[in-house]
Amino acid sequence: MSSDGYPRRTLHLPHSALFSTPIRDMNHKDRALLSYEKARAIGLSYDMTIDDLLSLTPKFWQLHNDPAVLLDGAAITLLTIQYNLCAGTISRYVGRRPELIPLVEDLLQYRKHGQFLMTELGHGLDIGNIETTATLLPSGEFVLNSPTPSAAKFMPPTVPAGRPCVAVVFAKLIVDDDDRGHRPFIVSLNDGKQMCAGVQSKLLPFRGGPHPVTHSITTFRNVRLPRGALLGSLSKPANMHANLMSIIERITIGTIALGCLALPFTQCYATIGTMYSLRRQIGGPTNRKPILTFRTQQAPILAAAANAYVMQALQRWAIAKFCDKGLDGRVRHGIAAIFKGVMSQHSQQGALGVSERCGAQGLFAHNQMTTLHNEMRGIAIAEGDVLGLAIRLVNELLLGRYTLPPPANPDALLAQHEAGLFARLRALIHGVPHHRSAEVNRLILPHCQPAMEALGHRMAYDAAVAQGVRPALVDLYVASVVKLDAAWYAEHAGIGWEAQQAMETRAQDAVLPVLGELVKEMDVFPYVNAPIVSDERWDAFVDGLATFEGNARVELFEPRGVLEVRPEMVRSHL
């Protein structure tokens, strides 16, 4: 399954000295700096080129499917910022500006670090209103400024990390007091040891849960930029919004690229859950049996396994559609949004479902699942917050601005669900005065994400059927999705509670006998370092823990002398 078409270019890394360095007792800042070296090792394993970035070759997508993400999510965060966002944005201009090629090569070879500074503290997703300015001077240079505290760039990791760092910084271009719209600028941030003049980076506290990243708040004060720092033209664009959407193209690419990471996450959950549930046994010495014999243990693991296979089919379909330049750009963007939303949804379902069935062991970061769950929370926000993507997509579809590829199986349950939800939303929007009205805010916006997910579920089903995914896996996927909106299927599809339970049970019974085969085909075990998957790993883990021993002696009942107990004292305590 998963290694077919996805060569493991990083198989040499899990047991290398760099990735085997114990991190449990490291402070967060040292761990964050170590992640830069891990990102470099992963990146160099791919020998990425400018053409890979611009043409979105299979190698580009393979990077975003690499199970190395399971070992250090921070490293993949840094790597996708550097390759996709920073180097990818600059690469768009090398055709007209060949002098930029050496800089892109420095980024691809990790001789420099690269960052991408767009969102601002006071504006978040409202990127059309960012405040950072780059003003053209009579000398032909620019001066870069953060005019207010709300204009601070939030939250790219910009503190020095051992190598010179450059960034693509988005700012309003000001020429002769005229706002000429947003532009990307290449800006030197630090030399690896200290910040450049006029650039200030404030290190944020580390996020709780995932591998630490040196997220920062970055501001600029009278930073002089050479004329060549501007990427693009000085001319005022005819359409400001179209210009903005064009220059942030790599964000849309990142939407689908980051969604790809959910696949190795889900494969990891299925692998850890299966192996732990076979190893963990209950009962006396003569009648022990693995906890995987219980349906309560099987259910989330089987669901994660089925989801992984269907998610991979969706991924292949979505990437092919996204790379089809013949499609309307809005359709390509919509497919990316739907893909990311569904992939992150299923990944988080797997994280919670499987980790909870690992009991107390599932709570510990060294068993990977809680860390990956927290990584995915960040992924769901980065390169397009899932809820924001859903609101934009669903409103545009309801307004008829474009249409998405229709269902290949319109009579299938998931297609009926999609059609039913959108029919209801269309009826609501036809009865309101304006698509930005209070009624839309109250009645439609809360349903945009479920509607986008319904689209994605249908697309995933169609892709799985078309690509020949095992019918039992598809059936279990459908049964799992039906449970997400059980009331709709009971009310509109005539599938009551008992029928829904029977669907799921039949599918689980069909998938269980091949679970071991499915996990083996996922091929992520070399990247699983959770000690709970085997006795040998657990023993080695315990042997490496800090051990405390001694010869102290503490009396349980220290003599305090004989006290006279008066009856009235006893009564007062009763």
Side-chain angles (χ1 to χ4, degrees):
M1 168 225 186
S2 298
S3 55
D4 180 23
Y6 296 86
R8 301 306 194 209
R9 299 175 188 267
T10 57
L11 266 177
H12 61 290
L13 292 179
H15 299 292
S16 66
L18 177 61
F19 280 80
S20 298
T21 301
I23 60 173
R24 287 195 301 272
D25 299 324
M26 273 190 189
N27 65 54
H28 275 39
K29 187 170 183 181
D30 287 343
R31 285 182 60 187
L33 294 177
L34 182 65
S35 290
Y36 277 92
E37 297 307 308
K38 293 179 178 179
R40 178 177 181 271
I42 296 169
L44 294 182
S45 299
Y46 277 82
D47 193 25
M48 202 72 70
T49 67
I50 292 176
D51 180 64
D52 290 323
L53 300 181
L54 294 178
S55 301
L56 301 180
T57 63
K59 191 194 299 183
F60 176 84
W61 301 111
Q62 289 161 11
L63 171 64
H64 290 90
N65 275 278
D66 199 304
V69 67
L70 306 177
L71 302 173
D72 193 320
I76 296 295
T77 296
L78 297 168
L79 186 54
T80 193
I81 292 172
Q82 178 143 336
Y83 279 8
N84 177 50
L85 297 180
C86 184
T89 298
I90 299 171
S91 293
R92 293 185 64 198
Y93 300 89
V94 299
R96 298 187 299 273
R97 296 187 54 189
E99 74 274 15
L100 294 173
I101 293 176
L103 174 57
V104 178
E105 293 292 347
D106 281 346
L107 292 168
L108 293 178
Q109 295 301 313
Y110 256 84
R111 291 186 285 266
K112 288 185 172 72
H113 290 153
Q115 293 298 332
F116 186 85
L117 280 63
M118 183 178 69
T119 54
E120 294 180 351
L121 188 59
H123 302 284
L125 298 176
D126 186 16
I127 56 175
N129 289 305
I130 61 175
E131 301 176 63
T132 303
T133 59
T135 303
L136 179 65
L137 301 175
S139 64
E141 297 175 299
F142 301 92
V143 61
L144 185 68
N145 274 296
S146 305
T148 68
S150 62
K153 297 297 185 180
F154 184 85
M155 56 183 193
T158 57
V159 300
R163 288 185 178 83
C165 181
V166 300
V168 172
V169 178
F170 286 80
K172 292 190 294 183
L173 172 62
I174 308 297
V175 180
D176 297 329
D177 295 325
D178 182 32
D179 180 355
R180 298 196 175 179
H182 301 88
R183 298 290 193 283
F185 292 82
I186 304 173
V187 181
S188 295
L189 298 183
N190 63 69
D191 65 0
K193 297 179 181 178
Q194 62 175 323
M195 303 302 295
C196 294
V199 183
Q200 182 188 77
S201 178
K202 290 182 176 289
L203 179 64
L204 287 163
F206 292 99
R207 289 166 53 198
H211 287 86
V213 176
T214 54
H215 291 300
S216 311
I217 298 175
T218 309
T219 54
F220 305 98
R221 183 177 180 183
N222 296 326
V223 177
R224 290 291 187 103
L225 301 177
R227 173 66 179 83
L230 170 65
L231 295 175
S233 168
L234 284 171
S235 302
K236 192 167 188 173
N239 186 316
M240 291 285 205
H241 179 73
N243 170 68
L244 178 59
M245 291 298 100
S246 174
I247 63 177
I248 65 168
E249 176 194 33
R250 299 306 297 200
I251 290 288
T252 303
I253 295 169
T255 299
I256 192 167
L258 288 184
C260 291
L261 297 175
L263 180 58
F265 280 32
T266 306
Q267 293 166 338
C268 181
Y269 302 139
T271 301
I272 293 175
T274 300
M275 298 186 71
Y276 173 72
S277 300
L278 286 170
R279 170 180 169 258
R280 183 78 167 86
Q281 298 186 347
I282 62 169
T286 60
N287 62 341
R288 295 183 64 75
K289 59 182 178 180
I291 58 175
L292 191 59
T293 57
F294 297 102
R295 182 49 56 97
T296 48
Q297 194 73 16
Q298 299 164 3
I301 299 169
L302 294 172
N307 286 353
Y309 280 79
V310 174
M311 288 162 69
Q312 186 175 66
L314 173 63
Q315 177 179 269
R316 288 172 170 157
W317 176 86
I319 289 173
K321 289 292 184 183
F322 185 81
C323 293
D324 181 359
K325 296 299 179 66
L327 283 180
D328 184 326
R330 296 169 300 177
V331 173
R332 295 170 62 235
H333 186 281
I335 289 172
I338 293 166
F339 173 77
K340 182 183 178 185
V342 169
M343 295 291 279
S344 58
Q345 177 193 35
H346 291 327
S347 174
Q348 296 299 65
Q349 290 170 336
L352 292 174
V354 175
S355 65
E356 287 177 358
R357 298 276 40 86
C358 293
Q361 294 279 20
L363 300 174
F364 286 91
H366 57 252
N367 286 321
Q368 292 181 275
M369 293 175 287
T370 56
T371 300
L372 294 177
H373 175 263
N374 279 287
E375 304 281 9
M376 185 52 64
R377 289 188 63 194
I379 289 170
I381 296 170
E383 274 86 294
D385 179 276
V386 167
L387 178 59
L389 293 172
I391 290 172
R392 176 183 173 186
L393 171 81
V394 172
N395 275 280
E396 289 180 338
L397 292 176
L398 294 177
L399 293 171
R401 291 180 177 170
Y402 57 91
T403 58
L404 293 171
N409 303 279
D411 295 329
L413 271 179
L414 303 191
Q416 292 179 40
H417 182 236
E418 172 201 340
L421 293 189
F422 273 88
R424 176 58 181 157
L425 293 178
R426 287 191 182 96
L428 288 172
I429 205 166
H430 286 155
V432 301
H434 191 271
H435 72 279
R436 297 187 185 277
S437 66
E439 289 87 348
V440 170
N441 180 40
R442 291 187 298 108
L443 301 176
I444 292 180
L445 261 59
H447 302 286
C448 286
Q449 187 167 338
M452 184 177 78
E453 289 167 350
L455 271 165
H457 298 150
R458 181 267 294 175
M459 290 176 172
Y461 172 84
D462 283 348
V465 171
Q467 294 175 37
V469 174
R470 302 184 196 211
L473 295 173
V474 178
D475 290 345
L476 182 52
Y477 179 78
V478 171
S480 299
V481 169
V482 165
K483 290 173 64 177
L484 299 176
D485 197 358
W488 187 94
Y489 288 96
E491 183 177 354
H492 297 283
I495 305 174
W497 183 86
E498 289 185 0
Q500 292 180 25
Q501 299 305 307
M503 283 175 58
E504 183 180 39
T505 299
R506 286 194 301 271
Q508 290 168 336
D509 290 345
V511 174
L512 181 61
V514 295
L515 178 60
E517 179 184 342
L518 297 174
V519 168
K520 183 178 179 181
E521 290 177 3
M522 290 178 190
D523 193 29
V524 297
F525 183 70
Y527 301 87
V528 171
N529 56 21
I532 58 170
V533 298
S534 72
D535 291 340
E536 294 76 16
R537 286 196 183 183
W538 180 254
D539 291 343
F541 170 74
V542 172
D543 288 344
L545 294 177
T547 303
F548 299 85
E549 296 178 320
N551 295 303
R553 182 178 179 84
V554 177
E555 294 292 341
L556 292 177
F557 305 102
E558 297 183 9
R560 299 180 182 273
V562 180
L563 297 177
E564 180 182 356
V565 180
R566 299 192 300 273
E568 59 271 21
M569 291 179 61
V570 174
R571 286 194 297 271
S572 70
H573 288 283
L574 295 179

